Amino acid sequence: MKIELRMGEWMVTMGLVGLYRVFEYGLRKGIIDPQHRQSVSIHPQGLELETEVLPQLPRAYFLYLIDEYSVAKRDGERLRHYLGQAKKENSFSTALSSIKKTITDAGKKIQKYFPDEPVEQLFETLKSVKKPEQLEQLEQCIAEFQQLLSKEAINEKLTLNYFKAAVLKSFFGQVSFLNVSNNNLDLEGHIERFQADYIIPVQYDLQFEHVFRSASTENEVLHFLDEHAEYGPFKALKRAWRKKKLPQMREEMSALYECMLFSGHVAFYNFEEMIFSPIGVSTSNAFNFNWNLQDKQPKPISSLAKLVLFFAPAGAAIYLKKEGFQEQNEYRMYAGFVQSDAAFSEILQKNNHLKQMKQQKDPFDRIVSKLVQSVTKEANYVVDHLFFLEFSSDYDSKKTHLHYYHLPLYLARYFVEYPGKLDYVHYDYREQFIQDVLRGVDPARVIYQYLRDCIENGRSHIGPYIAVRERSRIIQLKRGGKEMEKTDKRVYALYRCGQEIRKALEQAGSPKTADHYSASPSKKIIAIAYRLLNAAKAGDRKSFLDTLFRLHMSADQPISPLFLNALHERDLDFPAVANAFIAGLLSQGGQGEQEEVVS
């Protein structure tokens, strides 16, 4: 039987992308029989699925995830990286600690599930390594450990535990094999549970739909329900329908049992947190979704939709993301996805691209820029409907961080016309900058943080200037994109003013007197930069200009009329004026570096 799976909400499209990836992987690795080569085909609106292939999908699903999140591969790469550091004598000690921690953590897990493996002996050898002269012994330990970790049974067990806890837990509650009572299942046990909980319900429901559509009397329907009485939903349905006629059954079916994600399919389940944790709500708490007092099925979905949603983790790009600045930061596991109104094949291609770039740890602005390049050749309508989505969810704490990044036309134009211009901005601030811009938030707050970081930690000062200039370009594009070159020149002129003042202060030096302490020029500049930055953050134009005038007077420098924009904001807004000047005041870069980045 062939069924059509149409795209819809992002989680459905994500599931379809995952299903197709798993199917492709299964065919490529020989897990799915070649006779089913045409069983999943791409259509403009989604996928067409031949149901005979369904029993082969669970094995392909687990082997795909084991390959994707292999503990042997991940720990192997990490150990090779640490070993490279250990070869440098000054970083040997730190690298050795990291190597010991990695091997000990994974080794204890191996001991737990495979007590006969020689892990204790490896621990003892590793413990004896303490000096750079023992590098050869350390290399031997790492090689032995990698060999141990690469054993199929060990890698399979540890990887299963990893992706269940780190990846699937972000998507689902304690359903099927994810329930803690099933922690001791091996790979075959997991596959059996997947078959029983996800594949067989789909097969039963599709058979029921066929019988229900073709039945001429109610007895035919009840007879089918009797034959499959062990299936929970059928048992409940038979109890409800035993005294009803066929027309009543059909009326009730269309009113109560139609899937809200795949129309035309019977729905015996609910869209709730255990089915899709990031945006699901438990049935008992879904008061706002009740209609006509039907609290038992507030958001009905079919077993088919439930199965497609279970493939969502394979359709997303999974990555670690740092949130916050400096000490106040936190790493979270995120799932990212690109959605648009384009055909399914293009969405699949874009998400494959996104996943590949995330694996290469490309910065977000470059990812957006590359993805937009092809889209802008199409109609503006499509550009206007492209958006990025990412979420971090934890079922235990019932907490989800969900971000939608909509891409309006002016931003698409920015990414196309100015690709890679943010490369000089420090990675942490660049990511925050782009995310604010995509959310429609003014990224000035990121620039304030960046300038403060430069003052406190002496980072490269070109980065803030680039951030100020790119912010001004985005604002100009939002207003229609006129006078782009003039805006760039104004920002650069303000930046140069800051540099000139710094140069004048440094040349003036500190007055040397025996009786009074006088701070060095660099300390004075830092103090002034703090004062200006505080005024800029508070939006205190008067305080900013007052400090600025005094500064120019003490340095005997003329004041540029561009600073009047701090008051009337005709050509530039106040944050752009203030931040460009402060960036210049902090700048210590040479002229060559400036010329390179000014273009």
Side-chain angles (χ1 to χ4, degrees), residues 1 206 208-216 221 250 264-265:
M1 183 191 299
L206 291 175
F208 172 72
E209 287 172 14
H210 175 70
V211 169
F212 191 75
R213 273 196 300 270
S214 60
S216 53
V221 177
R250 287 192 166 137
H265 289 286

Side-chain angles (χ1 to χ4, degrees), residues 214-232:
S214 60
S216 53
T217 66
E218 58 274 8
N219 286 337
E220 290 178 49
V221 177
L222 293 174
H223 178 67
F224 176 83
L225 296 177
D226 261 342
E227 282 182 339
H228 302 86
E230 76 282 1
Y231 181 44

Side-chain angles (χ1 to χ4, degrees), residues 23 61 137 177 227 330 352 399 429 501 511 515 547 561 590:
F23 174 74
Y61 180 86
Q137 192 179 345
F177 55 82
E227 282 182 339
E330 184 181 353
N352 287 343
K399 190 175 179 181
Y429 298 97
I501 290 292
D515 301 332
T547 305

